[in-house]
Amino acid sequence: MKNLIKLVDGQARRVDDPWTLVREAGEGLPGGPLILPLGAWRERGGRDGLLLQPDDEVEALVGELPDALPLIALDFPSFRDGRGYSQAYLLRTRLGWRGELRAVGDVLRDQLAHMRQCGFDAFAVREDKCVEDALKGLAGVSVLYGRSAIEPRPLFRRR
């Protein structure tokens, strides 16, 4: 993933990515750090990064996520598919996941500010898009009225 943006100390930055995203786990897996689909991740004992598809039930992972799990990637097969937002919010609020939460797939600039509010802290922007332009998408919303994964109090309670 060449177009990876991460939040580092609250600041969005383009970073090099050592991880290899494997969508279909077969016999010959590449070397290095891997992000694997749920079934392959379970088979390998949970020592790799985890890729969750929109149909995967996040709450079924209660008690299964090890503290040492380096990252969870949520797949957006289409920018119109919003199930990843709900998965991210559940991982952060109900399951208490504090590790890296990465958006992968059809990730575009216009989605980044809302993804951040749902709990994402890493964004693999589509490779045909400009990362510098996408970085501007994270600075787009300065005040939110409602609750979010990063600010659970609504605006009227923040005074």
Side-chain angles (χ1 to χ4, degrees), residues 32-107:
L34 302 175
I35 303 172
L36 298 174
L38 183 58
W41 178 79
R42 283 180 171 147
E43 286 175 14
R44 288 177 47 106
R47 64 180 187 250
D48 301 288
L50 172 60
L51 172 66
L52 293 178
Q53 299 296 327
D55 291 335
D56 292 332
E57 292 292 329
V58 170
E59 291 179 320
L61 296 171
V62 171
E64 193 174 349
L65 296 177
D67 291 336
L69 179 62
L71 75 90
I72 297 176
L74 300 178
D75 193 23
F76 286 82
S78 167
F79 72 92
R80 289 174 265 155
D81 190 340
R83 293 176 285 178
Y85 297 105
S86 299
Q87 289 175 317
Y89 188 79
L90 290 172
L91 281 164
R92 292 290 192 211
T93 59
R94 289 195 188 159
L95 275 68
W97 172 252
R98 295 290 162 237
E100 180 180 324
L101 191 55
R102 182 182 294 192
V104 299
D106 198 10
V107 178

Side-chain angles (χ1 to χ4, degrees), residues 93-121:
T93 59
R94 289 195 188 159
L95 275 68
W97 172 252
R98 295 290 162 237
E100 180 180 324
L101 191 55
R102 182 182 294 192
V104 299
D106 198 10
V107 178
L108 305 171
R109 171 193 170 156
D110 294 346
Q111 301 167 295
L112 300 185
H114 187 62
M115 286 178 170
R116 183 176 184 191
Q117 296 305 313
C118 291
F120 287 99
D121 55 6

